[in-house]
Short mmCIF file of all heavy atoms in Angstrom, two decimals:
data_model
loop_
_atom_site.label_atom_id
_atom_site.label_comp_id
_atom_site.label_asym_id
_atom_site.label_seq_id
_atom_site.Cartn_x
_atom_site.Cartn_y
_atom_site.Cartn_z
N ARG A 1206 1.18 56.77 -179.93
CA ARG A 1206 0.53 57.99 -180.41
C ARG A 1206 -0.96 57.67 -180.52
O ARG A 1206 -1.39 56.92 -181.40
CB ARG A 1206 1.10 58.39 -181.77
CG ARG A 1206 0.53 59.69 -182.26
CD ARG A 1206 1.20 60.08 -183.58
NE ARG A 1206 0.59 61.24 -184.14
CZ ARG A 1206 0.91 62.50 -183.83
NH1 ARG A 1206 1.84 62.72 -182.95
NH2 ARG A 1206 0.31 63.51 -184.40
N PRO A 1207 -1.75 58.24 -179.62
CA PRO A 1207 -3.18 57.93 -179.62
C PRO A 1207 -3.90 58.51 -180.84
O PRO A 1207 -3.40 59.43 -181.48
CB PRO A 1207 -3.68 58.59 -178.33
CG PRO A 1207 -2.72 59.70 -178.08
CD PRO A 1207 -1.40 59.23 -178.61
N VAL A 1227 -10.07 59.37 -175.99
CA VAL A 1227 -9.38 60.46 -176.67
C VAL A 1227 -10.40 61.24 -177.50
O VAL A 1227 -11.03 60.68 -178.41
CB VAL A 1227 -8.25 59.93 -177.57
CG1 VAL A 1227 -7.58 61.07 -178.32
CG2 VAL A 1227 -7.23 59.14 -176.76
N LEU A 1228 -10.55 62.53 -177.18
CA LEU A 1228 -11.48 63.38 -177.91
C LEU A 1228 -10.80 64.06 -179.11
O LEU A 1228 -11.46 64.37 -180.09
CB LEU A 1228 -12.06 64.45 -176.99
CG LEU A 1228 -12.89 63.97 -175.81
CD1 LEU A 1228 -13.36 65.15 -174.97
CD2 LEU A 1228 -14.08 63.14 -176.28
N GLY A 1229 -9.52 64.29 -178.99
CA GLY A 1229 -8.78 64.96 -180.06
C GLY A 1229 -7.30 65.07 -179.70
O GLY A 1229 -6.90 64.74 -178.59
N LEU A 1230 -6.49 65.53 -180.65
CA LEU A 1230 -5.05 65.64 -180.44
C LEU A 1230 -4.60 67.09 -180.53
O LEU A 1230 -5.13 67.87 -181.32
CB LEU A 1230 -4.29 64.82 -181.49
CG LEU A 1230 -4.63 63.33 -181.57
CD1 LEU A 1230 -3.81 62.68 -182.68
CD2 LEU A 1230 -4.39 62.63 -180.26
N VAL A 1231 -3.62 67.44 -179.70
CA VAL A 1231 -2.96 68.74 -179.76
C VAL A 1231 -1.52 68.41 -180.12
O VAL A 1231 -0.64 68.33 -179.28
CB VAL A 1231 -3.04 69.49 -178.41
CG1 VAL A 1231 -2.46 70.88 -178.53
CG2 VAL A 1231 -4.47 69.53 -177.91
N THR A 1232 -1.28 68.14 -181.42
CA THR A 1232 -0.02 67.56 -181.87
C THR A 1232 1.19 68.45 -181.63
O THR A 1232 2.28 67.93 -181.39
CB THR A 1232 -0.09 67.18 -183.37
OG1 THR A 1232 -0.56 68.30 -184.10
CG2 THR A 1232 -1.02 66.02 -183.57
N LYS A 1233 1.04 69.75 -181.67
CA LYS A 1233 2.19 70.64 -181.44
C LYS A 1233 2.74 70.49 -180.03
O LYS A 1233 3.91 70.71 -179.78
CB LYS A 1233 1.81 72.10 -181.69
CG LYS A 1233 1.61 72.42 -183.15
CD LYS A 1233 1.30 73.88 -183.35
CE LYS A 1233 1.06 74.15 -184.83
NZ LYS A 1233 0.70 75.54 -185.08
N LYS A 1234 1.89 70.10 -179.11
CA LYS A 1234 2.30 69.93 -177.71
C LYS A 1234 2.47 68.45 -177.34
O LYS A 1234 2.75 68.14 -176.20
CB LYS A 1234 1.25 70.54 -176.78
CG LYS A 1234 1.12 72.04 -176.88
CD LYS A 1234 0.10 72.52 -175.87
CE LYS A 1234 -0.10 74.01 -175.92
NZ LYS A 1234 -1.10 74.44 -174.94
N ASN A 1235 2.28 67.54 -178.31
CA ASN A 1235 2.31 66.10 -178.03
C ASN A 1235 1.35 65.74 -176.89
O ASN A 1235 1.69 65.00 -175.97
CB ASN A 1235 3.72 65.62 -177.69
CG ASN A 1235 4.59 65.58 -178.92
OD1 ASN A 1235 4.12 65.30 -180.02
ND2 ASN A 1235 5.87 65.88 -178.75
N ARG A 1236 0.15 66.28 -177.00
CA ARG A 1236 -0.88 66.03 -175.99
C ARG A 1236 -2.16 65.58 -176.64
O ARG A 1236 -2.41 65.85 -177.81
CB ARG A 1236 -1.17 67.30 -175.18
CG ARG A 1236 -0.04 67.75 -174.29
CD ARG A 1236 -0.36 69.09 -173.64
NE ARG A 1236 0.58 69.40 -172.61
CZ ARG A 1236 0.33 69.29 -171.31
NH1 ARG A 1236 -0.85 68.91 -170.90
NH2 ARG A 1236 1.26 69.58 -170.43
N ALA A 1237 -2.97 64.89 -175.86
CA ALA A 1237 -4.30 64.49 -176.31
C ALA A 1237 -5.33 65.07 -175.36
O ALA A 1237 -5.08 65.16 -174.15
CB ALA A 1237 -4.41 62.98 -176.35
N LYS A 1238 -6.47 65.45 -175.89
CA LYS A 1238 -7.57 65.92 -175.05
C LYS A 1238 -8.37 64.68 -174.67
O LYS A 1238 -8.86 63.95 -175.54
CB LYS A 1238 -8.44 66.92 -175.80
CG LYS A 1238 -9.47 67.57 -174.91
CD LYS A 1238 -10.20 68.68 -175.63
CE LYS A 1238 -9.46 69.96 -175.35
NZ LYS A 1238 -10.20 71.15 -175.75
N LEU A 1239 -8.50 64.43 -173.36
CA LEU A 1239 -9.15 63.22 -172.87
C LEU A 1239 -10.43 63.53 -172.11
O LEU A 1239 -10.49 64.51 -171.36
CB LEU A 1239 -8.20 62.45 -171.92
CG LEU A 1239 -6.85 62.04 -172.47
CD1 LEU A 1239 -6.08 61.27 -171.41
CD2 LEU A 1239 -6.98 61.20 -173.72
N GLN A 1248 -9.51 67.02 -170.25
CA GLN A 1248 -8.18 67.46 -169.82
C GLN A 1248 -7.15 67.09 -170.89
O GLN A 1248 -7.31 66.09 -171.58
CB GLN A 1248 -7.78 66.76 -168.51
CG GLN A 1248 -8.72 67.01 -167.37
CD GLN A 1248 -8.66 68.44 -166.88
OE1 GLN A 1248 -7.60 69.06 -166.87
NE2 GLN A 1248 -9.81 68.98 -166.47
N GLU A 1249 -6.10 67.90 -170.98
CA GLU A 1249 -5.00 67.59 -171.89
C GLU A 1249 -3.93 66.80 -171.15
O GLU A 1249 -3.52 67.18 -170.05
CB GLU A 1249 -4.39 68.88 -172.46
CG GLU A 1249 -5.25 69.54 -173.50
CD GLU A 1249 -4.56 70.72 -174.16
OE1 GLU A 1249 -3.32 70.88 -174.00
OE2 GLU A 1249 -5.26 71.49 -174.84
N VAL A 1250 -3.48 65.69 -171.77
CA VAL A 1250 -2.46 64.83 -171.17
C VAL A 1250 -1.42 64.50 -172.24
O VAL A 1250 -1.77 64.28 -173.40
CB VAL A 1250 -3.10 63.52 -170.63
CG1 VAL A 1250 -2.05 62.57 -170.09
CG2 VAL A 1250 -4.15 63.84 -169.56
N GLU A 1251 -0.14 64.49 -171.84
CA GLU A 1251 0.94 64.19 -172.78
C GLU A 1251 0.83 62.74 -173.28
O GLU A 1251 0.45 61.85 -172.54
CB GLU A 1251 2.30 64.38 -172.11
CG GLU A 1251 2.62 65.82 -171.82
CD GLU A 1251 3.99 65.98 -171.17
OE1 GLU A 1251 4.83 65.07 -171.33
OE2 GLU A 1251 4.19 67.01 -170.52
N PHE A 1252 1.23 62.54 -174.55
CA PHE A 1252 1.20 61.20 -175.14
C PHE A 1252 2.00 60.22 -174.29
O PHE A 1252 1.62 59.06 -174.14
CB PHE A 1252 1.80 61.20 -176.56
CG PHE A 1252 1.02 62.01 -177.57
CD1 PHE A 1252 1.64 62.41 -178.74
CD2 PHE A 1252 -0.30 62.35 -177.38
CE1 PHE A 1252 0.95 63.14 -179.70
CE2 PHE A 1252 -1.01 63.08 -178.33
CZ PHE A 1252 -0.38 63.48 -179.50
N MET A 1255 0.35 58.11 -171.35
CA MET A 1255 -0.80 57.22 -171.56
C MET A 1255 -0.39 56.00 -172.36
O MET A 1255 0.63 55.98 -173.02
CB MET A 1255 -1.94 57.98 -172.24
CG MET A 1255 -1.64 58.46 -173.64
SD MET A 1255 -2.95 59.49 -174.35
CE MET A 1255 -2.68 61.01 -173.49
#
Side-chain angles (χ1 to χ4, degrees):
R1206 184 177 174 85
V1227 177
L1228 297 179
L1230 303 179
V1231 185
T1232 51
K1233 289 182 181 177
K1234 294 183 180 179
N1235 287 327
R1236 292 174 169 256
K1238 188 173 268 192
L1239 303 181
Q1248 301 291 324
E1249 286 186 13
V1250 176
E1251 291 181 22
F1252 295 161
M1255 65 186 75

